[in-house]
Amino acid sequence: MMSHQRVSGTHSQDIPRRESLLEWPFHEWPALLGLSASEKYRVRQLMEWIFHRRVADFGQMSTLPQGLRQSLGEKFTLRVLEFASREISKRDGAQRLNFRAADGKSIPAVCLSGKEEGGERHSLCLSTQVGCAWGCAFCASGRLKFQRNLTVSEILGQVFGAEEATGKKVDSLLFMGMGEPLANYSNLRLALHALRSPMGFNYGARHVTVSTSGLVPQMLKLCTEAPKMNLAVSLHAADDETRRRLMPKAAEWPIKEVLKAAWAYQKGAGGGRVTFEYVLLRGINDSLRAAQRLSNLLRGRKAWVNLIPYNPVPGLPYEKPEEVAVRRFEEVLVTRGIFVRLRRPQGDDISSGCGQLGNPAR
Ligand code: SAH
Ligand code: SF4
């Protein structure tokens, strides 16, 4: 049985809503479309239209027989999100895209651009829930009441929608938008399969990153149930007491267990690279002692750490760290053999930096 949620429209409740075909795993498509064994190649053709040519209207899929196009159109839809608005950062060109779901909920995604060898690269920061139930003290999403999980087609719809809205190819995906991806596990898992599948969006393992506040049981399940990708684990503290203050719910799993699950993911046959995220908050977790503790936790491992200077959220008591504290923290980790990347904020002037997506669109 599929366990993901369905969205019902608010203004068209009496009209039966067509479901998105993308809610189903690919292996169920032949049966869903009523195809015989000899007609299974039609699924390939259909996927080519959907993922490669980006056609959203079954009627235009001219290599499919007329009858199949018609029955697909009667039963299913492909796009479930409407592009609502956009804000562009004057500072760095980051684009906050606001989509509207069928039930009227607003879903933010952020398109970030950067230069890499070979030219400009674009990444998309995706949402997985409306609001977030995890209530981390420093995060804007955590202040919004949890409203619902996004469906598979709403997760994938952000990729279609972003490419259509920006006219740019999205090169990599970051599940770092609104919500806790692993709390929407079954929909996330199906979306990941579609994103990584060569028949689907065909993203490489290194171009997909899922960020979690450290839900240990789901992290362990990812080892065997999800396609290979990067896992980012939000640590934010090197001791359980500080972590409990910052992430009261996620810290129900002690750091020791979170790390154990992270190493299991890194070592597992299906697992990929693990990165630890550490938001630096002035006077809370940015001391020399904290840096030493963190490096002790990661010592002897192949560990990557993303240091993220805090993006202030209006109404919250936390502050950006001082530059000298950031440098000191970074230096301690680097001198102990840890790979560190300092993540400078992008799009923070339009409420699109990490943890700011819960701020309403302006
Ligand atoms: N729920 C997931 C993914 C979304 S948040 C998670 O918590 O990992 C993506 C990253 O942004 C997380 O590491 C999160 O802790 C961090 N973050 C949240 N609020 C922030 C803020 N105001 N400034 C900087 N980073 C923040
Ligand atoms: Fe939710 Fe992540 Fe924000 Fe915590 S940091 S409230 S888990 S989105």
Side-chain angles (χ1 to χ4, degrees):
M1 266 315 286
M2 309 280 291
S3 54
H4 51 266
Q5 286 187 1
R6 305 264 188 246
V7 191
S8 56
T10 44
H11 34 260
S12 55
Q13 301 230 309
D14 37 341
I15 308 167
R17 273 187 62 76
R18 289 171 304 152
E19 299 258 29
S20 169
L21 182 60
L22 303 175
E23 296 300 325
W24 278 271
F26 295 160
H27 68 264
E28 291 186 26
W29 285 20
L32 214 55
L33 309 188
L35 298 174
S36 66
S38 64
E39 292 170 320
K40 279 192 181 161
Y41 71 97
R42 295 290 184 198
V43 169
R44 265 180 186 276
Q45 291 179 319
L46 176 59
M47 286 176 161
E48 162 85 12
W49 285 107
I50 297 173
F51 298 108
H52 193 65
R53 303 199 202 186
R54 298 293 162 96
V55 168
D57 175 0
F58 294 113
Q60 289 177 16
M61 301 181 177
S62 55
T63 54
L64 300 180
Q66 181 60 35
L68 180 57
R69 280 190 252 167
Q70 193 172 337
S71 77
L72 279 165
E74 280 162 9
K75 289 191 215 144
F76 303 109
T77 181
L78 286 169
R79 298 288 193 274
V80 294
L81 297 181
E82 216 179 287
F83 174 58
S85 64
R86 140 184 27 221
E87 292 144 83
I88 303 181
S89 163
K90 290 200 178 65
R91 258 223 322 265
D92 51 44
Q95 294 194 32
R96 174 177 168 142
L97 307 168
N98 300 301
F99 296 102
R100 197 177 306 108
D103 63 353
K105 301 285 183 213
S106 178
I107 299 170
V110 182
C111 189
L112 306 163
S113 302
K115 292 250 184 301
E116 266 178 42
E117 275 172 59
E120 196 162 72
R121 289 274 174 272
H122 307 287
S123 46
L124 186 70
C125 191
L126 300 159
S127 295
T128 50
Q129 300 184 309
V130 183
C132 183
W134 292 81
C136 301
F138 50 86
C139 173
S141 303
R143 300 181 79 201
L144 288 181
K145 232 178 56 212
F146 170 72
Q147 296 176 41
R148 67 171 175 82
N149 283 330
L150 298 192
T151 61
V152 182
S153 51
E154 287 171 332
I155 296 173
L156 300 177
Q158 294 168 69
V159 183
F160 287 127
E163 292 197 340
E164 281 159 18
T166 62
K168 292 168 182 159
K169 161 106 184 68
V170 171
D171 301 296
S172 50
L173 303 170
L174 306 164
F175 282 87
M176 296 188 179
M178 187 183 290
E180 166 49 52
L182 295 193
N184 185 7
Y185 183 81
S186 51
N187 290 354
L188 174 80
R189 190 173 62 85
L190 280 181
L192 286 171
H193 279 290
L195 292 167
R196 290 275 290 100
S197 164
M199 298 291 296
F201 286 89
N202 197 20
Y203 280 101
R206 289 188 164 254
H207 291 104
V208 178
T209 302
V210 170
S211 177
T212 177
S213 56
L215 277 61
V216 168
Q218 287 89 336
M219 284 168 71
L220 293 172
K221 277 174 29 153
L222 282 181
C223 301
T224 53
E225 295 181 357
K228 185 172 173 155
M229 58 183 183
N230 301 322
L231 185 65
V233 180
S234 297
L235 213 50
H236 307 331
D239 65 280
D240 284 316
E241 200 190 315
T242 309
R243 197 158 189 270
R244 223 172 290 122
R245 267 169 71 196
L246 296 175
M247 316 169 74
K249 232 176 125 182
E252 277 171 28
W253 289 284
I255 290 174
K256 220 170 105 193
E257 277 186 40
V258 174
L259 292 178
K260 224 163 99 186
W263 306 136
Y265 183 78
Q266 196 170 51
K267 277 218 315 253
R273 173 187 284 198
V274 174
T275 303
F276 296 96
E277 290 174 278
Y278 195 103
V279 173
L280 288 163
L281 302 151
R282 183 185 295 201
I284 308 268
N285 64 356
D286 62 348
S287 67
L288 177 64
R289 175 93 187 94
Q292 288 164 340
R293 276 184 146 171
L294 180 62
S295 55
N296 287 342
L297 288 175
L298 306 180
R299 184 175 278 172
R301 302 278 184 171
K302 215 170 182 195
W304 282 263
V305 173
N306 275 346
L307 289 178
I308 316 168
Y310 182 58
N311 284 324
V313 173
L316 294 184
Y318 301 101
E319 290 176 272
K320 273 180 189 297
E322 287 187 73
E323 197 54 38
V324 48
V326 175
R327 291 283 161 221
R328 182 182 58 196
F329 206 97
E330 186 181 16
E331 202 182 300
V332 171
L333 298 183
V334 169
T335 52
R336 296 183 182 204
I338 293 161
F339 307 105
V340 183
R341 212 172 52 148
L342 189 56
R343 269 219 332 243
R344 290 297 176 187
Q346 270 201 55
D348 55 336
D349 54 331
I350 52 164
S351 283
S352 296
C354 282
Q356 294 180 319
L357 287 180
N359 290 335
R362 290 176 303 181

